[in-house]
Amino acid sequence: MSKVLVSDPIDQAGIDILSQVAQVDVKTGLPAEELVRIIPEYDALMIRSETRVTQEVIAAAKQLKIIGRAGVGVDNVDVPAATRQGIVVVNSPEGNTIAAAEHAIALMLALSRSIPDANTSVKSGKWERKKFVGTEVYKKTLGIVGLGKIGSHVAAVAKAMGMKLLAFDPFISTERAEHIGCRLVDLDMLFREADYITLHIPKTPETTNLINAEALAKMKPTTRIINCARGGIIDEAALAEAVKEGKIAGAALDVFAKEPLGESPLCQMGKDVILTPHLGASTAEAQVNVAIDVAEQIRDVLLGLPARSAVNIPGLYPDVLEKLKPYLRLAETLGNLVSQLAGGRVESLNVHLQGELATNDSKPIVIAALKGLLYQALRERVNYVNASIEAKERGIRVIETRDNAVRDYAGSLHLEAKGSLGEHSVTGALLGDGEIHITDINDFPINVPPTHHMLFTLHRDMPGIIGKIGSLLGSFNVNIASMQVGRKIVRGDAVMVLSLDDPLPEGVLTEILKVPGIRDAYTVTL
Ligand SMILES: NC(=O)C1=CN([C@@H]2O[C@H](COP(=O)(O)OP(=O)(O)OC[C@H]3O[C@@H](n4cnc5c(N)ncnc54)[C@H](O)[C@@H]3O)[C@@H](O)[C@H]2O)C=CC1
Ligand SMILES: O=C(O)C(=O)COP(=O)(O)O
């Protein structure tokens, strides 16, 4: 039975789903070295933002197939390291959108009306009505940095409260922004004009310290900043300084460069700085959503099915996968076949998509071909997650060509591998019933389904050669299931493709190569 480690607090709904297919161990608050120690025994890891899945953890995770992040941000996971190791990383892109957006709005209003301090004041027996005179958000300008799922919902709510909306997001079209009711502006203008600035971007090298002393200097003394996205996007020391000196009016932060925050100049600030302990996603509803969303994906992957929100398998969405499944099998088989014909190191792979294959998204097909190509070298270690990266690291150049015209088959795939031992090519197609047929080997036309044990020869087309190979195999007690010959011209060169019931015993290939007229011979196991 598979084993799943849940290392952050996850809603029971997720645990219940995982328990249907695996042994689930919930161990939260593990020290880093303890996680490294126990991770080798697990097939899946389910986390939130607290567990740091470092390169060290991943290197130790010999069995791990999937890391499920019950939330959005995967910046606590070394995704490139996971990808290299063939581990799928999934998240829940929408499960906590509303929760995070509502928390940003809550912080904006709390900041405008000093709710946390007013509450503390009343509870301590005071009645300080003058001290807590606030500001309205109505008709104020809200600058939204990052107009994705959370940013868009914040925009909708803010618009309903009568706010004017500016947005900065280099990856969103003007039309989309206008549809949401936002005016797209550059960051500089947003900093200068906004009364409130709310961040809804991922933490990346580009967004780290986006709000630094220089940016803060551009803002109005009445500006208030809300960060419900990620710590590290704001330079916390510069922010504390800006509020203290009255360069801006205040800030409300849910996320920090280091969590838990511990000692920080931000903790010394008064009512104009509000801090919450990364609560954006912490609603009952969101926690059920993300737990179910991610647990279902872990369950599916453990059952050998695709994940719907993998962050490190480009283009391999379940609906695409389902449609392309037969072609992925074809690509993988041909990749495996051509690598065995090539024998040695492959330097480049030309992937030619023909007919209806050329009209589909080619990325998954190319990945499947690479997975097949690398199977001989990496066996089970290569999968859809790491095939591209493994090929790249081996210096395999991938060239993709396509031709929409339909020829003999509705769709066919041609792979050409150039390597240290020469050039080989195979073409394959799917028959009506989805059966794979190899239709060409090294430009010789044939028509055979791939089988487990195969023998390919390149020989001179001359009488007697086929009989000699048959007798030779018979003398070694190898049974031939089927045989086909392909040639371009009579008595020129030809290929022979034999499907064998048994693997070729050692030494037989050498004997075959001694038969007069045989130029080359390859055994292939698919
Ligand atoms: N505080 C909390 O508990 C939570 C925090 N989050 C954080 O909120 C962030 C946003 O989440 P979603 O809206 O779901 O993501 P999303 O992917 O839907 O939206 C992110 C947007 O940021 C934009 N973007 C990327 N780089 C940018 C840049 N350099 N400048 C401006 N815009 C840029 C993208 O184009 C995209 O539209 C995530 O980073 C996530 O980690 C999410 C949920 C809960
Ligand atoms: O989903 C996200 O990106 C979050 O930041 C939520 O974090 P959490 O799962 O509450 O630790």
Side-chain angles (χ1 to χ4, degrees), residues 268-349:
Q268 313 308 320
M269 313 290 298
K271 66 176 180 37
D272 298 326
V273 171
I274 297 176
L275 312 175
T276 53
H278 202 145
L279 292 181
S282 293
T283 63
E285 297 86 344
Q287 283 314 304
V288 171
N289 291 344
V290 297
I292 292 176
D293 196 359
V294 171
E296 282 181 350
Q297 297 188 70
I298 293 178
R299 178 198 61 197
D300 290 354
V301 167
L302 291 179
L303 293 175
L305 300 167
R308 59 175 169 264
S309 311
V311 301
N312 59 348
I313 317 183
L316 290 194
Y317 304 110
D319 49 337
V320 177
L321 275 183
E322 202 45 47
K323 198 168 133 217
L324 288 181
K325 221 183 212 165
Y327 280 126
L328 296 178
R329 253 191 324 114
L330 171 69
E332 211 175 314
T333 306
L334 296 186
N336 191 355
L337 172 56
V338 83
S339 84
Q340 292 184 63
L341 296 180
R345 187 163 49 84
V346 171
E347 280 146 15
S348 78
L349 181 73

Side-chain angles (χ1 to χ4, degrees), residues 333-470:
T333 306
L334 296 186
N336 191 355
L337 172 56
V338 83
S339 84
Q340 292 184 63
L341 296 180
R345 187 163 49 84
V346 171
E347 280 146 15
S348 78
L349 181 73
N350 196 331
V351 182
H352 181 73
L353 303 115
Q354 179 81 49
E356 73 171 27
L357 250 185
T359 60
N360 278 301
D361 174 13
S362 61
K363 213 175 216 164
I365 305 283
V366 174
I367 293 174
L370 287 173
K371 178 173 181 261
L373 188 83
L374 293 169
Y375 181 76
Q376 293 304 315
L378 298 171
R379 299 283 152 176
E380 278 67 31
R381 278 212 302 114
V382 65
N383 59 25
Y384 284 100
V385 180
N386 63 4
S388 298
I389 213 167
E390 288 286 353
K392 205 168 172 187
E393 279 175 3
R394 282 168 170 70
I396 300 172
R397 232 160 35 94
V398 181
I399 304 138
E400 208 186 297
T401 52
R402 39 173 80 217
D403 175 3
N404 286 359
V406 173
R407 301 197 196 285
D408 298 345
Y409 299 92
S412 72
L413 182 69
H414 176 76
L415 301 183
E416 209 175 297
K418 288 187 190 149
S420 49
L421 302 177
E423 236 178 275
H424 290 274
S425 69
V426 294
T427 310
L430 295 175
L431 300 196
D433 58 0
E435 193 189 5
I436 297 175
H437 268 222
I438 305 167
T439 58
D440 197 303
I441 290 281
N442 289 343
D443 293 330
F444 289 94
I446 52 162
N447 194 345
V448 290
T451 56
H452 191 33
H453 301 295
M454 301 186 89
L455 171 68
F456 293 81
T457 68
L458 176 66
H459 60 269
R460 269 192 51 220
D461 180 26
M462 59 187 211
I465 199 156
I466 296 170
K468 275 189 196 135
I469 299 293

Side-chain angles (χ1 to χ4, degrees), residues 34 126-127 133 136 176 207 222 236-237 242 334 474 491:
E34 181 61 5
K126 297 181 196 154
W127 198 253
V133 173
E136 291 172 13
R176 163 94 184 126
T207 63
T222 49
E236 288 166 13
L334 296 186
R491 301 227 175 199

Side-chain angles (χ1 to χ4, degrees), residues 48-50 69-73 96 229-230 278 281-282 287:
R48 281 175 60 194
S49 64
E50 278 160 58
R69 192 319 189 195
V72 179
N96 61 25
R230 268 299 170 275
H278 202 145
S282 293
Q287 283 314 304

